[in-house]
Amino acid sequence: MHHPATDREIQEWVQERHGFFPTIVWIAHCRRLCGLAAENLSAYQQSRFEPCPLDRQDAIIKAFRHFGMLPEE
């Protein structure tokens, strides 16, 4: 069973595989889009002001799937 990944783990995974370092606010926004609990509540609350760019969301959501936070497609 996978543990819910930390924001730091997600950042590292995305950077290694997709070549960019997602901000915690972007991760919080994607967590909200997917119905996941935010690790960092203040980032989650701020995420409505700085949404994750559409072209970055897929990589972050793939990280959620990799860490077992969402079902595989």
Side-chain angles (χ1 to χ4, degrees):
M1 180 175 167
H2 292 279
H3 67 88
T6 65
D7 288 347
R8 183 71 181 159
E9 289 172 316
I10 292 167
Q11 287 174 317
E12 291 172 358
W13 190 92
V14 170
Q15 185 174 36
E16 288 174 11
R17 288 159 184 82
H18 297 279
F20 72 95
F21 194 78
T23 67
I24 288 173
V25 175
W26 290 357
I27 294 170
H29 179 234
C30 289
R31 285 179 186 259
R32 184 185 328 163
L33 291 174
C34 294
L36 299 172
E39 177 186 73
N40 181 326
L41 187 57
S42 64
Y44 182 80
Q45 291 167 339
Q46 292 171 8
S47 68
R48 64 188 161 164
F49 301 113
E50 190 180 332
C52 181
L54 288 174
D55 64 335
R56 305 294 185 165
Q57 290 178 15
D58 187 55
I60 296 169
I61 292 169
K62 284 180 181 175
F64 295 163
R65 287 195 171 92
H66 168 78
F67 286 105
M69 298 163 65
L70 290 174
E72 293 293 326
E73 287 188 312

